[in-house]
Amino acid sequence: MSFVLGTCLLAVVTAVTCALPGVFVVLRKNSMLVDAIGHAVLPGIVIGYYFTRDLDSPFLVLGAALAGLIVVLGSEYLSRTGLLAGDSPQGLVFPALFSFGVILISLNFANIHLDTHVVLVGDFNLVAFIPLTIGGVSIGPSYLYFMLLVGLINAAFIAIFYSHLKITTFDTEFASTIGVRTGAVNTAFMFLVSFTVTAAFNAAGAILIVALIVVPPATAYLLTDRLEVMIGLTVVFAAGGALAGFWIAYYLNAATSAGMSVFYGLLFAAALIVQRIRRKVKRDKVASAHADPLPEPRLVTAG
């Protein structure tokens, strides 16, 4: 497999893998929590490396995912105290964890290849350099198959717990009354999101991962009010946007993640315009249907 084709497939698989849990992230209005998780995984990676001394160790992924989960649980705890409003708890927790990770790198691991710039923006081309070879034949980047495995895990989780995710997303109180353990479902789902963010960390970075998770489902949300259709459109937008963004970045010699994010933004803008036109047409039809008919002229004759 050629390097360009392997990197392109990696971009598509990573985009779809991130967008699948993004459907419920958008519906639960937790989009910016992804940004918090993306920043908080850094100390988890550093601490995992401290114990393993191996940047390719799976324990780095586990440690980073747990660090992301700390942001979620910490933010929820601070919110329940009633002392902070809005997204203030996130603004307290994740900057502290990210700063802690940066300090750990600068003090103890300045000699390892863990650049804070790459942490923020990622690099698809860099992670695609390590091939997976079987029988002396390269079958593509090893990271491609890692992300494919994560994507299958995400798809399996959503399929198995689809009804639980659906009811806890749209009506938490009703879910509690029928015996659904909403806290356990939410914690498991946010750990899945944290795990996904960590898995895609090297390719997309802490900042651009937000676009991969949020923008495709947000675009689909503009075009449908059915969950099943929204999931299908999300996969289409994620894969199509990754393909278009990759090749645009390739021909412009630009960063792949940035090219994908810009194209996703254009796709969202187009969907927003289409939705506004549809609403305007619908309002005009309703207005014309309810408009009072003009009174018929009456012939007035002199007495």
Side-chain angles (χ1 to χ4, degrees):
M1 183 182 296
S2 68
F3 176 77
V4 174
L5 178 59
T7 308
C8 180
L9 290 176
L10 173 61
V12 172
V13 171
T14 302
V16 174
T17 298
C18 293
L20 280 174
V23 172
F24 293 96
V25 169
V26 170
L27 292 174
R28 291 166 178 244
K29 300 179 181 180
N30 287 331
S31 298
M32 292 313 299
L33 191 57
V34 176
D35 182 52
I37 293 173
H39 285 78
V41 298
L42 178 60
I45 292 175
V46 177
I47 294 174
Y49 178 79
Y50 176 81
F51 289 103
T52 63
R53 301 289 171 169
D54 182 9
L55 285 174
D56 297 321
S57 172
F59 289 103
L60 266 69
V61 178
L62 178 61
L66 291 175
L69 189 61
I70 289 175
V71 174
V72 178
L73 298 179
S75 299
E76 289 181 352
Y77 171 77
L78 292 176
S79 297
R80 287 196 300 267
T81 63
L83 301 176
L84 297 171
D87 54 2
S88 298
Q90 299 174 29
L92 289 171
V93 177
F94 89 79
L97 287 176
F98 184 75
S99 301
F100 179 64
V102 172
I103 291 174
L104 287 178
I105 291 176
S106 60
L107 291 179
N108 302 306
F109 305 109
N111 60 329
I112 66 171
H113 182 66
L114 191 58
D115 188 0
T116 52
H117 173 72
V118 176
V119 164
L120 291 175
V121 300
D123 194 336
F124 276 99
N125 301 308
L126 185 62
V127 298
F129 267 112
I130 303 176
L132 180 63
T133 304
I134 298 180
V137 179
S138 174
I139 59 173
S142 59
Y143 202 76
L144 165 64
Y145 296 95
F146 173 65
M147 289 307 304
L148 184 61
L149 175 62
V150 176
L152 293 175
I153 292 174
N154 287 351
F157 182 90
I158 292 174
I160 294 172
F161 297 101
Y162 178 78
S163 59
H164 292 75
L165 290 171
K166 185 175 181 179
I167 193 170
T168 55
T169 297
F170 293 105
D171 197 336
T172 305
E173 294 182 359
F174 177 71
S176 299
T177 59
I178 62 174
V180 177
R181 300 176 61 184
T182 58
V185 172
N186 292 337
T187 300
F189 173 70
M190 292 313 300
F191 180 77
L192 182 74
V193 173
S194 181
F195 178 74
T196 303
V197 170
T198 305
F201 196 72
N202 288 336
I207 295 177
L208 298 180
I209 192 69
V210 180
L212 298 184
I213 292 181
V214 173
V215 182
T219 305
Y221 181 72
L222 292 176
L223 302 177
T224 183
D225 55 1
R226 295 180 56 192
L227 181 56
E228 296 83 358
V229 177
M230 181 179 173
I231 295 175
L233 288 176
T234 296
V235 173
V236 172
F237 290 151
L243 278 173
F246 172 83
W247 288 109
I248 290 173
Y250 177 79
Y251 284 111
L252 294 178
N253 195 25
T256 302
S257 299
M260 291 168 56
S261 299
V262 169
F263 189 83
Y264 282 142
L266 295 175
L267 196 63
F268 178 83
L272 181 62
I273 293 172
V274 170
Q275 180 63 9
R276 290 180 67 89
I277 293 175
R278 288 171 55 184
R279 286 187 176 182
K280 185 178 184 304
V281 171
K282 185 177 180 179
R283 284 197 303 265
D284 292 343
K285 287 183 178 180
V286 172
S288 62
H290 290 82
D292 293 330
L294 293 175
E296 296 182 0
R298 292 183 298 174
L299 182 60
V300 179
T301 58

